[in-house]
């Protein structure tokens, strides 16, 4: 994280001996609600990577992402594209500080909390951040792309 200009966050990073690769693993390790986890998910919109920040208790509605971006097709990025775009492996992708500049969408559900927890570059590290600070650091556009439960 230091080399990506995020050194100020280093004192906040918490490391765990157990994996925090999934939202459920991270919430269990931290002792917080699943919805307080910020998932950093990479999609391909007409082949162009886009990062979606979503609360850990929700799923991304790919059709809503497609509409938001005005794209023809949106698919989940494969592990190679995730690493190429962000510089990180799936399960450790932080919400910002990536290898490339990518469009970022943040679901409004993240704003329901005073603090959310995000991956800090490895499947064993996370950091707390205020949602508005997260959105600002990520250069994200606030959107509603959460799958609606029937």
């Amino acid at each position: 994280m230091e080399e990506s200009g995020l050194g100020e966050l280093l004192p906040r990073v918490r490391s765990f001996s157990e994996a925090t690769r999934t939202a459920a693993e991270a919430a269990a390790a931290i002792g917080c609600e699943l919805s307080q986890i910020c998932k950093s998910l990479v999609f391909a919109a007409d082949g162009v990577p886009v990062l979606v920040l979503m609360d850990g208790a929700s799923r991304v509605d790919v059709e809503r992402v497609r509409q938001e971006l005005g794209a023809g097709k949106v698919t989940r990025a494969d592990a190679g594209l995730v690493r190429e775009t962000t510089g990180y492996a799936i399960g450790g992708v932080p919400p910002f500080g990536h290898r490339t500049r990518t469009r970022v969408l943040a679901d409004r559900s993240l704003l329901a909390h005073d603090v959310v927890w995000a991956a800090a570059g490895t499947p064993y590290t996370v950091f707390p951040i205020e949602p508005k600070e997260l959105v600002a650091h990520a250069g994200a556009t606030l959107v509603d792309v959460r799958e609606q439960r029937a």
Side-chain angles (χ1 to χ4, degrees), residues 37-39 52-56 58-60 107 110 145-146:
I37 301 300
C38 173
K39 298 188 288 192
V52 178
L53 305 178
M54 178 61 67
D55 79 82
S58 300
R59 295 176 55 94
V60 174
D107 191 80
L110 292 166
V145 292
R146 185 169 44 154

Side-chain angles (χ1 to χ4, degrees), residues 9-145:
L9 293 175
L10 285 176
R12 297 190 208 172
V13 173
R14 288 186 49 195
S15 296
F16 294 92
S17 55
E18 64 271 20
T20 56
R21 182 176 285 117
T22 67
E25 289 172 346
I30 296 161
C32 70
E33 295 293 320
L34 188 57
S35 61
Q36 287 179 271
I37 301 300
C38 173
K39 298 188 288 192
S40 299
L41 306 168
V42 180
F43 291 84
D46 295 332
V48 178
V50 60
L51 179 69
V52 178
L53 305 178
M54 178 61 67
D55 79 82
S58 300
R59 295 176 55 94
V60 174
D61 184 327
V62 177
E63 177 58 20
R64 288 175 145 206
V65 171
R66 189 193 69 71
Q67 291 170 354
E68 188 65 44
L69 298 172
K73 183 179 181 186
V74 173
T75 57
R76 195 77 177 255
D78 65 23
L81 182 60
V82 171
R83 186 175 285 281
E84 180 185 314
T85 301
T86 67
Y88 299 95
I90 291 173
V93 177
F96 43 79
H98 299 165
R99 175 183 289 158
T100 62
R101 235 15 230 144
T102 308
R103 184 153 180 202
V104 182
L105 303 178
D107 191 80
R108 278 189 180 81
S109 61
L110 292 166
L111 299 179
H113 302 286
D114 293 333
V115 171
V116 293
W117 293 81
T122 79
Y124 297 92
T125 55
V126 294
F127 67 95
I129 189 167
E130 292 176 1
K132 287 181 178 165
E133 184 184 358
L134 169 78
V135 170
H137 265 301
T141 302
L142 276 174
V143 294
D144 292 305
V145 292

